[in-house]
Amino acid sequence: MGKSKRNSPKPGGNRAQRLAERRAALEQAGEAVTRPFQGLAAECDLVALREFVPSATATLKLSPGAAAERSVVLATVLPGAVAALVRAGDEPTGYVGVQVQAEGANPAADIAAAILWTQSAEPGESLPGAESIEGGPALTDVIDPGAALELTVHQDFDWWVPEGVEPDPQVAATIEQAKQAIMPSDRLDLGADAIGAAWWVDAGDKAHLRWVRPEPEDDLMLALARLHAAGGLHLGEGSRFAGSFRTHGLLVPVFDLDPERHASEWTAPAIEFGARLAQALATDAPMSAEERRSRDGLRSRQVTLR
């Protein structure tokens, strides 16, 4: 008589642990907010800061309803990847990071909780990980939803240390290590009427333009397919459409660029591409066979980050 197979994992065993971890991951994925920054004028920049911008800061415009007494600076990443800290000074300032070690299911709610934490924390304190409370204030209630981010893009992490303060050797070594790993980045200024957030980065052997767009994914994909079929899916000489990725409910087209050209040299080509894309988005004609093939090809090259 053959041995019967055990269908349920042994409690405390490796298989049981793996199954538990898989269930937890699925539950968290089910709870995750698809488009956490929707409703904010700064949505596209918030997505960029969270996903791929190395070093940038912006002083937030807080909502009057937040009853804030301290100014708050939003930052890509803080020392130790903490969620927030309060910097001492004549007027203590709160700092909130968007790239953190401990991530929740709703990053916007976590940022809102971290902002509120900075208002009562003591100077010198830090918050390892912000956990939003169910039913707590939304980010749209804490910051002005109609305000864009007035960003300062840094090419290092020297801003981690207040001006006039000499860092201890360990902090100085950490800053130097981070500086060595940073990739030069910049946000293209495409004018007041530009849609989304276009970010250039020098990755060494090539440069990239990642353009975070706010349009519904299907609409944007159709417009990109129309441009591809017409030979217009590029930023001119020295550029190539590399594909796109989804993150936080948005689609991000990516272009490979000639690294010998400065970021500012791509401003005019990006504006021209933006105009072509706007025209394609406004087109409601039925898709041609070539456009359908282009759409299928573009979708097959998509990557989903989260």
Side-chain angles (χ1 to χ4, degrees):
M1 182 175 178
K3 293 182 179 180
S4 61
K5 293 183 178 179
R6 178 163 33 90
N7 293 321
S8 58
K10 180 181 178 181
N14 291 335
R15 181 164 172 257
Q17 182 178 350
R18 288 196 300 270
L19 289 173
E21 291 172 350
R22 187 180 304 168
R23 281 195 297 269
L26 290 172
E27 289 174 2
Q28 184 172 352
E31 296 171 357
V33 179
T34 302
R35 192 169 170 177
F37 303 112
Q38 189 171 17
L40 295 166
E43 177 184 20
C44 292
D45 275 316
L46 284 167
V47 170
L49 295 178
R50 184 168 169 83
E51 291 304 320
F52 55 78
V53 177
S55 182
T57 55
T59 299
L60 292 172
K61 185 175 181 181
L62 302 182
S63 168
E69 299 181 1
R70 292 174 179 165
S71 62
V72 178
V73 175
L74 187 76
T76 48
V77 63
L78 296 171
V82 298
L85 57 83
V86 175
R87 182 174 287 178
D90 294 336
E91 295 184 3
T93 302
Y95 281 75
V96 171
V98 294
Q99 298 175 24
V100 295
Q101 281 190 336
E103 297 184 351
N106 187 342
D110 289 347
I111 292 172
I115 292 171
L116 296 178
W117 175 88
T118 65
Q119 300 306 301
S120 58
E122 293 295 325
E125 286 188 330
S126 62
L127 180 66
E131 293 187 3
S132 54
I133 302 173
E134 186 175 352
L139 187 55
T140 50
D141 298 326
V142 178
I143 67 174
D144 181 354
L149 294 180
E150 296 184 7
L151 287 156
T152 299
V153 182
H154 307 274
Q155 305 305 331
D156 53 40
F157 291 96
D158 291 344
W159 55 270
W160 278 0
V161 180
E163 188 175 350
V165 174
E166 186 70 25
D168 62 54
Q170 184 177 357
V171 172
T174 301
I175 292 175
E176 185 59 30
Q177 184 179 11
K179 188 186 300 184
Q180 295 300 321
I182 201 170
M183 291 187 291
S185 302
D186 202 2
R187 189 189 192 282
L188 297 192
D189 183 2
L190 305 182
D193 297 329
I195 303 298
W199 285 84
W200 170 91
V201 60
D202 182 356
D205 58 338
K206 65 178 66 175
H208 306 289
L209 181 74
R210 302 180 179 114
W211 198 331
V212 187
R213 302 287 306 194
E215 296 90 356
E217 181 184 332
D218 288 343
D219 294 348
L220 181 56
M221 181 57 66
L222 173 55
L224 293 173
R226 292 188 192 278
L227 291 181
H228 183 270
L233 189 54
H234 58 77
L235 298 180
E237 185 179 355
S239 73
R240 181 184 70 87
F241 181 71
S244 59
F245 62 88
R246 303 184 194 92
T247 183
H248 297 305
L250 299 183
L251 191 63
V252 184
V254 180
F255 297 87
D256 289 341
L257 307 176
D258 181 355
E260 297 301 320
R261 295 172 61 177
H262 190 270
S264 60
E265 296 182 67
W266 294 105
T267 299
I271 292 174
E272 293 172 4
F273 171 78
R276 293 198 302 273
L277 183 57
Q279 186 175 6
L281 282 162
T283 302
D284 58 3
M287 295 185 73
S288 67
E290 181 62 28
E291 288 171 345
R292 283 194 294 272
R293 284 192 293 271
S294 291
R295 182 185 59 185
D296 293 343
L298 295 178
R299 279 180 170 167
S300 69
R301 295 157 61 187
Q302 275 185 333
V303 175
T304 300
L305 295 187
R306 65 179 76 217

